[in-house]
Amino acid sequence: MGKRNKRPQVAYNIPQEKKPRFASEEDDADFCWRTAHADLSESQWGWGCIALSHFFQEIAPKLHEFEKSTWGQMIGCDRVHFFPQNEIAREAQKRLDELVKNDVIPEDWYGEDLTAIRITAKARIWGFKVGKCFFLLWWDPEHTVYPVRKQHT
């Protein structure tokens, strides 16, 4: 029998721009949410586009359910993702610029990662994780703030 190469093989190369996320004290904190900086307009992702009944029957119960979890649990079960602002759809970036100029969101949040929380297979709530709180920004029922191509289509 010949000698076998016993070196581990790499399945794929990890892009250099990817950075690992490390657990923090905030991961042990209970999930909480606020609406102080929500986009209340009737723009594409504004909360003004949805019926109050939909919010109170479908979205608020999910958010209240999440309050029973810690941030670490939310991240661990793949419900929460963080995205650099320059990776979201160009239209969403423009809307974000408008919200900063109109003082809807604080200027010092500009450049911070956006946080997306999965509500259904397609729907997301977008906002900012500041400390231990999630500040709602947009309602994205069609997954268009950060569109993804389905594999094998």
Side-chain angles (χ1 to χ4, degrees):
M1 262 201 214
K3 287 188 175 182
R4 291 184 0 183
N5 181 2
K6 293 188 178 185
R7 297 184 115 204
Q9 301 213 354
V10 177
Y12 59 91
N13 291 326
I14 298 172
Q16 293 299 318
E17 63 272 3
K18 290 270 189 177
K19 293 182 182 133
R21 188 184 170 287
F22 297 102
S24 68
E25 284 184 22
E26 291 175 2
D27 288 348
D28 292 333
D30 291 336
F31 175 85
C32 69
W33 55 284
R34 302 284 183 267
T35 59
H37 301 287
D39 182 353
L40 300 177
S41 73
E42 293 185 11
S43 66
Q44 184 175 357
W45 306 291
W47 290 96
C49 291
I50 68 168
L52 279 175
S53 60
H54 179 71
F55 179 82
F56 284 108
Q57 291 172 353
E58 304 294 328
I59 300 168
K62 286 275 192 187
L63 291 168
H64 289 300
E65 182 182 315
F66 299 157
E67 289 174 335
K68 298 173 188 170
S69 303
T70 65
W71 274 101
Q73 291 168 329
M74 295 280 289
I75 292 165
C77 72
D78 209 31
R79 187 168 293 282
V80 174
H81 292 278
F82 302 94
F83 296 89
Q85 289 181 17
N86 64 350
E87 290 185 10
I88 62 175
R90 190 153 322 278
E91 201 174 322
Q93 291 178 33
K94 289 179 185 176
R95 181 65 186 146
L96 204 53
D97 290 342
E98 292 173 13
L99 294 172
V100 170
K101 288 177 187 168
N102 294 329
D103 294 325
V104 175
I105 60 173
E107 195 171 323
D108 58 334
W109 291 3
Y110 195 73
E112 294 292 322
D113 285 355
L114 282 162
T115 305
I117 297 179
R118 179 173 42 88
I119 300 297
T120 66
K122 196 186 253 189
R124 304 286 185 271
I125 295 176
W126 286 83
F128 290 94
K129 181 180 182 289
V130 179
K132 300 172 183 177
C133 276
F134 176 68
F135 287 85
L136 279 66
L137 179 63
W138 292 321
W139 169 241
D140 182 15
E142 299 298 319
H143 206 302
T144 56
V145 171
Y146 185 84
V148 291
R149 282 187 42 208
K150 290 184 179 179
Q151 292 183 351
H152 312 294
T153 58

